[in-house]
Amino acid sequence: MFNRIASLFALVAVLLPVQAAAQGIDETINTIFADYTGWYVALIFADLPGTNFSWIALWLVVAALVFTVYFGAIQLRGFAHSISLVKGDYSDPDDAGEVSHFQALATALSGTVGLGNIAGVAVAVGIGGPGATFWMVMAGLFGMATKFTECTLGVKYRNEYPDGRVSGGPMYYMVKGFKERGLPGGKVFAILFCIFTILGALGGGNMFQANQAHAQLSGVLGDYPGWITGLILAVVTFLVIVGGIKSIAQVTEKVVPFMGIFYVGVSLIILLMNFDQIGWAFGRIFEGAFTGLGVLGGFTGALIQGFRRAAFSNEAGIGSAAIAHSAVRTKEPVTEGYVALLEPFIDTVVICTMTALVIVITGVLNVDPETGLYVWNAEAGRISTAGEVAGVELTSAAYAQAFSWFPALLAIAVVLFAFSTMISWSYYGLKAWTYMFGEGAAKETIFKVIFCLFIVIGASANLGPVIDFSDAMLFSMAVVNVIALYLLMPIVKRELASYVGRLKSGEIKRFKG
């Protein structure tokens, strides 16, 4: 399998210099990827027998439940302390690392907050009804424990270099953690994870983002060649990522809050304009969570869609966040576990809920006035909507009910979401690349150039099968990573007990606040 993947990778690299001018390359890539990798995509996203619930989504949800129980609902007990850490109350500037707790959180968030919050929620609500929102939030709350586990391990087993740089992530804790526990196979796990990460970074974390950014821009500005969007994004992205994690963090700590404040701000304005309907909307969400309100599959349909989209949105268990958080300045691994658990809360509980409430309140989902149930569009396989739109178009239509100019601003938001996701995934891919091929400026530059060339490819072509394969790679990361988390969670529990004990005794002191 991996020989075939390597051949495909080499072929795409050869085609890169001429892609903007050549015709038919996208169809060629589509055909090659569909022929060679279609079976693998089908395997990763296969549904459990007798359901339409993919086994990979269940894999992530079950892991989240296990870690929540094992660590005594750390997401609830540690939430206040997480806020203190992000504020820098316990940050020692002399600790090893490259970025602050807030910068690490912003970098990791920029890799998860994006199209999943805009289009993914619309897909979940459109198919599973408002009740899908309830299960999405539940999955997000449990996923906080997964992020705590993987990011604690990421910092504990990172490599720290004399010049102050650090490298960390699942590949490091797979080797070092397995060795510490006397477990075999750590190196094999690490190599598999790195292969999946590099391919996932070039596809789902790069080409897909560029492709969707161009689609939104051309929808507002009119049709124009995708390579123009790709070239602009590639140049700007290269200027950011060439500076490494510090440069990436400096950008994401500004872009991510701006995106979040803008999107949540507009959502809040719409909700305040319809304040009298908020209670009704929550009622629809809770009622739909257990009845479906006419949705095909009822309760089960709502639950499946909510869990599926949450698992795909916040990336808890994928392992990507552990790479970003490993760069933090701290000598206490557990502190970054605390910070990381805020990600699913912000991504899924806050932003996804805002989107769902606006969709429900603005009435873009068609309701039968006699029964109060949603009208099911059997042909489309989802709830009938105003204009029969779906995905990001449904979100855009909902917000346009309040502000006619919102679609134009949504295009800007999508570009920013895509840009921040690309620069974060460039770092994830780079760390997997250097783990396999070694550290060094020349080796790192090679990957950064390849990454930026793939931005142009993604914006220019219709790479459906390539994107499907890339998404499969992202969730292949989760298969390997979650197994490692199960095997190493006793180490995290030991670290947590030690940290909490020293915090209570006063040995760990505040530096400010």
Side-chain angles (χ1 to χ4, degrees):
M1 171 190 169
F2 292 114
N3 287 334
R4 285 183 172 180
I5 293 174
S7 298
L8 293 170
F9 187 83
L11 175 61
V12 174
V14 170
L15 293 173
L16 280 171
V18 296
Q19 74 81 36
Q23 297 296 320
I25 289 180
D26 52 337
E27 288 83 0
T28 301
I29 296 173
N30 277 338
T31 301
I32 293 174
F33 267 81
D35 289 346
Y36 280 85
T37 66
W39 66 272
Y40 188 75
V41 174
L43 174 65
I44 291 296
F45 294 111
D47 290 336
L48 293 169
T51 74
N52 61 345
F53 191 67
S54 60
W55 70 269
I56 190 65
L58 184 65
W59 176 257
L60 294 171
V61 170
V62 169
L65 289 169
V66 170
F67 298 133
T68 295
V69 173
Y70 188 77
F71 293 109
I74 187 65
Q75 57 266 64
L76 299 179
R77 296 190 295 115
F79 194 87
H81 188 60
S82 299
I83 300 297
S84 296
L85 289 166
V86 171
K87 288 166 52 185
D89 293 350
Y90 294 86
S91 297
D92 185 343
D94 295 326
D95 284 343
E98 298 184 70
V99 298
S100 68
H101 285 298
F102 178 77
Q103 289 176 323
L105 177 64
T107 300
L109 268 174
S110 67
T112 60
V113 174
L115 295 176
N117 306 90
I118 299 173
V121 175
V123 170
V125 174
I127 299 175
T133 309
F134 175 84
W135 299 112
M136 192 181 301
V137 169
M138 294 303 295
L141 289 172
F142 288 122
M144 294 166 70
T146 305
K147 281 287 177 82
F148 170 83
T149 308
E150 59 190 353
C151 292
T152 296
L153 289 168
V155 176
K156 179 172 176 59
Y157 293 109
R158 66 186 180 181
N159 282 355
E160 298 177 2
Y161 303 105
D163 62 0
R165 293 181 302 111
V166 298
S167 288
M171 51 280 201
Y172 292 92
Y173 60 66
M174 287 168 183
V175 172
K176 295 181 180 180
F178 277 37
K179 183 178 181 180
E180 184 176 320
R181 295 207 67 199
L183 300 171
K187 190 70 174 179
V188 174
F189 269 61
I191 294 299
L192 281 173
F193 181 83
C194 286
I195 292 172
F196 295 145
T197 301
I198 291 171
L199 293 173
L202 292 175
N206 182 354
M207 289 192 292
F208 173 72
Q209 306 299 324
N211 185 277
Q212 291 297 290
H214 174 68
Q216 289 299 309
L217 285 173
S218 62
V220 173
L221 301 176
D223 192 33
Y224 66 94
W227 66 265
I228 297 176
T229 299
L231 186 60
I232 294 172
L233 282 173
V235 170
V236 176
T237 300
F238 184 78
L239 291 175
V240 173
I241 68 176
V242 74
I245 184 60
K246 290 183 179 179
S247 177
I248 293 172
Q250 288 169 359
V251 173
T252 56
E253 75 170 340
K254 297 177 178 65
V255 174
V256 172
F258 170 77
M259 291 189 307
I261 291 171
F262 163 71
Y263 194 73
V264 172
V266 173
S267 302
L268 282 173
I269 291 172
I270 295 175
L271 294 176
L272 289 173
M273 289 169 60
N274 298 274
F275 183 77
D276 58 325
Q277 297 185 58
I278 293 178
W280 169 82
F282 273 116
R284 299 292 281 183
I285 289 173
F286 286 119
E287 184 181 357
F290 300 99
T291 67
L293 288 173
V295 171
L296 188 67
F299 155 73
T300 304
L303 182 145
I304 288 173
Q305 286 302 316
F307 276 1
R308 175 184 286 183
R309 297 322 307 175
F312 283 49
S313 175
N314 60 48
E315 295 180 10
I318 300 294
S320 53
I323 300 175
H325 285 281
S326 296
V328 72
R329 281 191 298 270
T330 185
K331 60 177 176 291
E332 299 287 349
V334 170
T335 60
E336 201 56 23
Y338 276 110
V339 171
L341 65 78
L342 293 174
E343 280 178 49
F345 181 83
I346 296 171
D347 177 275
T348 307
V349 178
V350 176
I351 299 180
C352 288
T353 300
M354 290 281 189
T355 302
L357 283 172
V358 172
I359 290 173
V360 174
I361 285 176
T362 52
V364 289
L365 301 176
N366 293 334
V367 178
D368 185 328
E370 295 184 6
T371 64
L373 301 178
Y374 288 101
V375 178
W376 184 255
N377 184 334
E379 183 178 349
R382 55 170 170 75
I383 295 173
S384 175
T385 62
E388 295 303 334
V389 294
V392 68
E393 292 179 300
L394 178 60
T395 304
S396 182
Y399 282 75
Q401 295 291 314
F403 303 112
S404 60
W405 43 259
F406 186 80
L409 285 184
L410 183 62
I412 297 174
V414 167
V415 171
L416 288 175
F417 279 133
F419 173 64
S420 65
T421 300
M422 285 190 293
I423 62 176
S424 294
W425 272 96
S426 73
Y427 181 72
Y428 302 156
L430 175 64
K431 287 305 173 183
W433 178 273
T434 55
Y435 182 87
M436 294 180 66
F437 301 110
E439 305 276 350
K443 295 175 182 177
E444 292 180 13
T445 300
I446 289 173
F447 175 80
K448 291 171 183 177
V449 170
I450 291 173
F451 187 88
C452 289
L453 288 174
F454 268 77
I455 294 175
V456 184
I457 280 270
S460 305
N462 175 25
L463 301 174
V466 180
I467 298 305
D468 288 342
F469 177 73
S470 301
D471 285 345
M473 291 297 101
L474 295 182
F475 291 97
S476 296
M477 292 164 61
V479 176
V480 180
N481 185 51
V482 168
I483 293 174
L485 296 182
Y486 283 142
L487 295 173
L488 299 177
M489 62 185 187
I491 294 175
V492 179
K493 196 163 193 175
R494 185 183 67 207
E495 290 284 329
L496 177 61
S498 171
Y499 178 80
V500 171
R502 287 179 290 124
L503 188 65
K504 290 181 177 178
S505 70
E507 182 180 340
I508 296 177
K509 304 185 186 312
R510 283 176 176 262
F511 282 84
K512 69 175 185 177

